[in-house]
């Protein structure tokens, strides 16, 4: 079993979502000690945004790319290879302004590649990243679970489904900005959810 952990907080220390992702990974490894782990921290090692130069590189045939364009596409290829190799994907996802962070958006922008991780057919899009289990640790300052202000989970569900990942489990740490009691309560609830994960 191969585990891929993606931390997408802008903070490389003290992050509640990374704490969740670490705890989920520990839980999985407890059941599957032989599992390998690849860990990418997008704060410590950011992935570049999808800008005009990147789009030009993507739409240039591989054998016509400049060295700079090839190097940029190789960065995306590396993230795609990590996802393809993973059986279990664990993502730490903080809420920033009701959505995911730019770090996580850049990761999705890198791994969503036509005819590699999804394809269009006469029946619509088909995701090619199948057979994977996804866990997402969500951290929020306030309370949004199952409410209209949660723009993260609907987006993540759409994105994962589009890419072929249909087995997705969310663990929440909410109320991170609501004082120490709320933080302690959220961590207790999250730990119980993580302990209940069946691998
Ligand atoms: C730039 C920024 C924007 C935020 N936006 C929201 C928000 O829209 N709703 C919310 O409930 N919390 C918001 N928060 C609080 C974070 O979701 C909360 O601090 C969370 O724990 C951050 O994740 P992390 O600890 O993994 O870094 C925001 C925090 C930051 C730094």
């Amino acid at each position: 079993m191969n585990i891929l952990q993606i931390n997408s907080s802008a903070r490389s220390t003290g992050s509640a979502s990374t704490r969740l992702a670490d705890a989920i990974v520990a839980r999985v490894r407890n059941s599957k000690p032989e599992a390998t782990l690849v860990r990418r921290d997008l704060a410590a090692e950011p992935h570049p945004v999808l800008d005009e130069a990147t789009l030009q590189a993507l739409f240039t045939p591989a054998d016509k790319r400049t060295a700079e364009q090839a190097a940029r596409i190789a960065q995306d290829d590396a993230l795609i290879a990590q996802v393809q190799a993973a059986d279990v994907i664990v993502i730490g996802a903080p809420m920033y302004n009701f959505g995911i962070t730019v770090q996580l958006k850049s990761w999705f922008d890198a791994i969503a590649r036509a005819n590699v991780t999804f394809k269009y057919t006469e029946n619509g899009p088909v995701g090619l990243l199948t057979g994977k289990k996804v866990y997402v640790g969500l951290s929020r300052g306030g309370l949004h679970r199952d409410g209209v202000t949660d723009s993260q989970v609907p987006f993540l569900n759409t994105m994962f489904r589009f890419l072929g990942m249909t087995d997705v489990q969310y663990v929440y740490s909410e109320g991170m900005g609501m004082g120490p009691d709320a933080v302690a309560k959220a961590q207790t609830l999250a730990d119980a959810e993580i302990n209940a994960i069946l691998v």
Side-chain angles (χ1 to χ4, degrees):
M1 175 187 280
N2 297 323
I3 307 170
L4 173 63
Q5 178 179 353
I6 303 293
N7 299 335
S8 70
S9 172
R11 301 197 280 174
S12 47
T13 57
S15 155
S17 58
T18 299
R19 179 191 173 277
L20 287 177
D22 286 343
I24 294 166
V25 167
R27 171 80 188 119
V28 174
R29 293 180 101 184
N30 194 39
S31 295
K32 305 278 182 198
E34 75 286 358
T36 65
L37 173 64
V38 171
R39 195 170 185 268
R40 175 68 184 259
D41 190 320
L42 295 170
E45 197 190 343
H47 191 77
V49 296
L50 186 56
D51 59 6
E52 185 169 18
T54 306
L55 281 179
Q56 280 170 351
L58 276 168
F59 291 111
T60 301
D63 60 346
K64 299 264 185 338
R65 285 179 190 143
T66 64
E68 196 182 340
Q69 287 177 323
R72 176 65 186 85
I73 299 306
Q75 289 181 290
D76 287 1
D77 289 345
L79 295 194
I80 291 171
Q82 286 179 344
V83 177
Q84 287 172 326
D87 304 295
V88 175
I89 299 169
V90 180
I91 298 177
M95 176 179 277
Y96 284 1
N97 299 314
F98 305 100
I100 61 170
T101 62
V102 69
Q103 286 81 0
L104 187 55
K105 182 62 167 55
S106 292
W107 183 78
F108 277 118
D109 287 342
I111 67 162
R113 173 93 55 87
N115 300 317
V116 179
T117 58
F118 70 91
K119 65 179 179 184
Y120 278 104
T121 71
E122 56 204 14
N123 298 319
V126 174
L128 302 176
L129 294 172
T130 54
K132 301 178 192 306
K133 174 77 194 190
V134 180
Y135 298 98
V136 185
L138 299 160
S139 59
R140 287 99 183 261
L143 306 175
H144 307 279
R145 187 172 186 162
D146 301 325
V148 292
T149 53
D150 185 353
S151 308
Q152 282 186 304
V153 169
F155 169 78
L156 290 170
N157 280 335
T158 300
M159 204 67 225
F160 288 129
R161 204 177 313 117
F162 178 67
L163 295 172
M165 294 180 269
T166 52
D167 190 356
V168 184
Q169 184 172 341
Y170 296 96
V171 178
Y172 295 75
S173 267
E174 294 205 301
M176 295 296 100
M178 295 169 62
D181 289 351
V183 170
K185 188 178 160 201
Q187 288 184 347
T188 303
L189 282 172
D191 288 344
E193 284 184 51
I194 292 166
N195 284 336
I197 286 174
L198 297 174
V199 183

